[in-house]
mmCIF file of all heavy atoms in Angstrom:
data_model
loop_
_atom_site.group_PDB
_atom_site.id
_atom_site.type_symbol
_atom_site.label_atom_id
_atom_site.label_comp_id
_atom_site.label_asym_id
_atom_site.label_seq_id
_atom_site.Cartn_x
_atom_site.Cartn_y
_atom_site.Cartn_z
ATOM 1 N N SER A 42 -55.291 -6.725 -7.265
ATOM 2 C CA SER A 42 -55.317 -6.887 -8.709
ATOM 3 C C SER A 42 -53.884 -7.037 -9.201
ATOM 4 O O SER A 42 -53.042 -6.189 -8.921
ATOM 5 C CB SER A 42 -55.982 -5.677 -9.364
ATOM 6 O OG SER A 42 -56.000 -5.836 -10.768
ATOM 7 N N VAL A 43 -53.600 -8.128 -9.890
ATOM 8 C CA VAL A 43 -52.233 -8.438 -10.322
ATOM 9 C C VAL A 43 -52.197 -8.539 -11.845
ATOM 10 O O VAL A 43 -52.981 -9.283 -12.429
ATOM 11 C CB VAL A 43 -51.757 -9.769 -9.697
ATOM 12 C CG1 VAL A 43 -50.407 -10.181 -10.252
ATOM 13 C CG2 VAL A 43 -51.687 -9.664 -8.180
ATOM 14 N N PRO A 44 -51.322 -7.788 -12.493
ATOM 15 C CA PRO A 44 -51.199 -7.925 -13.946
ATOM 16 C C PRO A 44 -50.230 -9.051 -14.275
ATOM 17 O O PRO A 44 -49.705 -9.710 -13.383
ATOM 18 C CB PRO A 44 -50.607 -6.581 -14.353
ATOM 19 C CG PRO A 44 -49.707 -6.251 -13.209
ATOM 20 C CD PRO A 44 -50.396 -6.790 -11.966
ATOM 21 N N ALA A 45 -49.986 -9.260 -15.549
ATOM 22 C CA ALA A 45 -48.947 -10.194 -15.961
ATOM 23 C C ALA A 45 -47.634 -9.769 -15.321
ATOM 24 O O ALA A 45 -47.184 -8.643 -15.502
ATOM 25 C CB ALA A 45 -48.821 -10.185 -17.484
ATOM 26 N N CYS A 46 -47.053 -10.630 -14.550
ATOM 27 C CA CYS A 46 -45.799 -10.361 -13.850
ATOM 28 C C CYS A 46 -45.453 -11.641 -13.102
ATOM 29 O O CYS A 46 -46.187 -12.619 -13.164
ATOM 30 C CB CYS A 46 -45.932 -9.196 -12.868
ATOM 31 S SG CYS A 46 -47.102 -9.478 -11.517
ATOM 32 N N CYS A 47 -44.337 -11.631 -12.378
ATOM 33 C CA CYS A 47 -43.987 -12.830 -11.622
ATOM 34 C C CYS A 47 -45.145 -13.285 -10.733
ATOM 35 O O CYS A 47 -45.413 -14.482 -10.607
ATOM 36 C CB CYS A 47 -42.766 -12.575 -10.745
ATOM 37 S SG CYS A 47 -41.215 -12.529 -11.661
ATOM 38 N N TRP A 48 -45.849 -12.348 -10.111
ATOM 39 C CA TRP A 48 -46.841 -12.740 -9.117
ATOM 40 C C TRP A 48 -48.052 -13.451 -9.725
ATOM 41 O O TRP A 48 -48.745 -14.179 -9.031
ATOM 42 C CB TRP A 48 -47.269 -11.554 -8.236
ATOM 43 C CG TRP A 48 -46.688 -11.740 -6.869
ATOM 44 C CD1 TRP A 48 -45.552 -11.173 -6.375
ATOM 45 C CD2 TRP A 48 -47.168 -12.615 -5.833
ATOM 46 N NE1 TRP A 48 -45.307 -11.638 -5.101
ATOM 47 C CE2 TRP A 48 -46.286 -12.520 -4.742
ATOM 48 C CE3 TRP A 48 -48.263 -13.477 -5.724
ATOM 49 C CZ2 TRP A 48 -46.453 -13.250 -3.560
ATOM 50 C CZ3 TRP A 48 -48.429 -14.204 -4.545
ATOM 51 C CH2 TRP A 48 -47.536 -14.086 -3.479
ATOM 52 N N THR A 49 -48.336 -13.248 -11.008
ATOM 53 C CA THR A 49 -49.399 -14.052 -11.627
ATOM 54 C C THR A 49 -49.033 -15.522 -11.546
ATOM 55 O O THR A 49 -49.870 -16.380 -11.278
ATOM 56 C CB THR A 49 -49.529 -13.730 -13.131
ATOM 57 O OG1 THR A 49 -49.175 -12.403 -13.364
ATOM 58 C CG2 THR A 49 -50.882 -14.062 -13.639
ATOM 59 N N VAL A 50 -47.772 -15.792 -11.821
ATOM 60 C CA VAL A 50 -47.306 -17.174 -11.849
ATOM 61 C C VAL A 50 -47.143 -17.711 -10.422
ATOM 62 O O VAL A 50 -47.449 -18.868 -10.140
ATOM 63 C CB VAL A 50 -45.975 -17.251 -12.617
ATOM 64 C CG1 VAL A 50 -45.437 -18.651 -12.623
ATOM 65 C CG2 VAL A 50 -46.164 -16.741 -14.033
ATOM 66 N N ILE A 51 -46.691 -16.837 -9.536
ATOM 67 C CA ILE A 51 -46.477 -17.263 -8.152
ATOM 68 C C ILE A 51 -47.792 -17.674 -7.498
ATOM 69 O O ILE A 51 -47.885 -18.690 -6.828
ATOM 70 C CB ILE A 51 -45.822 -16.119 -7.337
ATOM 71 C CG1 ILE A 51 -44.423 -15.813 -7.860
ATOM 72 C CG2 ILE A 51 -45.782 -16.472 -5.856
ATOM 73 C CD1 ILE A 51 -43.801 -14.552 -7.264
ATOM 74 N N ALA A 52 -48.831 -16.891 -7.753
ATOM 75 C CA ALA A 52 -50.057 -17.039 -6.960
ATOM 76 C C ALA A 52 -51.010 -18.079 -7.502
ATOM 77 O O ALA A 52 -51.777 -18.659 -6.739
ATOM 78 C CB ALA A 52 -50.776 -15.696 -6.857
ATOM 79 N N THR A 53 -51.011 -18.317 -8.806
ATOM 80 C CA THR A 53 -52.192 -18.966 -9.349
ATOM 81 C C THR A 53 -51.949 -20.127 -10.290
ATOM 82 O O THR A 53 -52.520 -20.177 -11.366
ATOM 83 C CB THR A 53 -53.053 -17.931 -10.106
ATOM 84 O OG1 THR A 53 -52.246 -17.396 -11.181
ATOM 85 C CG2 THR A 53 -53.492 -16.810 -9.234
ATOM 86 N N PRO A 54 -51.114 -21.109 -9.898
ATOM 87 C CA PRO A 54 -51.197 -22.338 -10.702
ATOM 88 C C PRO A 54 -52.613 -22.919 -10.522
ATOM 89 O O PRO A 54 -52.982 -23.314 -9.427
ATOM 90 C CB PRO A 54 -50.138 -23.254 -10.085
ATOM 91 C CG PRO A 54 -49.254 -22.364 -9.284
ATOM 92 C CD PRO A 54 -50.129 -21.223 -8.834
ATOM 93 N N TYR A 55 -53.408 -22.900 -11.590
ATOM 94 C CA TYR A 55 -54.815 -23.273 -11.488
ATOM 95 C C TYR A 55 -54.955 -24.706 -10.987
ATOM 96 O O TYR A 55 -54.204 -25.558 -11.432
ATOM 97 C CB TYR A 55 -55.497 -23.128 -12.855
ATOM 98 C CG TYR A 55 -56.962 -23.329 -12.803
ATOM 99 C CD1 TYR A 55 -57.802 -22.309 -12.360
ATOM 100 C CD2 TYR A 55 -57.531 -24.557 -13.135
ATOM 101 C CE1 TYR A 55 -59.166 -22.503 -12.271
ATOM 102 C CE2 TYR A 55 -58.892 -24.745 -13.045
ATOM 103 C CZ TYR A 55 -59.701 -23.713 -12.614
ATOM 104 O OH TYR A 55 -61.041 -23.916 -12.503
ATOM 105 N N PRO A 56 -55.870 -25.048 -10.093
ATOM 106 C CA PRO A 56 -56.914 -24.187 -9.526
ATOM 107 C C PRO A 56 -56.546 -23.647 -8.148
ATOM 108 O O PRO A 56 -57.411 -23.463 -7.315
ATOM 109 C CB PRO A 56 -58.084 -25.160 -9.411
ATOM 110 C CG PRO A 56 -57.415 -26.454 -9.020
ATOM 111 C CD PRO A 56 -56.043 -26.436 -9.669
ATOM 112 N N THR A 57 -55.259 -23.404 -7.905
ATOM 113 C CA THR A 57 -54.883 -22.948 -6.567
ATOM 114 C C THR A 57 -54.709 -21.435 -6.536
ATOM 115 O O THR A 57 -54.531 -20.791 -7.570
ATOM 116 C CB THR A 57 -53.553 -23.584 -6.105
ATOM 117 O OG1 THR A 57 -52.503 -23.118 -6.945
ATOM 118 C CG2 THR A 57 -53.623 -25.097 -6.162
ATOM 119 N N THR A 58 -54.754 -20.886 -5.328
ATOM 120 C CA THR A 58 -54.406 -19.492 -5.115
ATOM 121 C C THR A 58 -53.538 -19.415 -3.878
ATOM 122 O O THR A 58 -53.752 -20.148 -2.921
ATOM 123 C CB THR A 58 -55.635 -18.597 -4.962
ATOM 124 O OG1 THR A 58 -55.202 -17.275 -4.580
ATOM 125 C CG2 THR A 58 -56.585 -19.115 -3.892
#
Side-chain angles (χ1 to χ4, degrees):
Chain A
S42 180
V43 174
C46 63
C47 285
W48 252 98
T49 329
V50 178
I51 295 171
T53 60
Y55 187 79
T57 65
T58 172

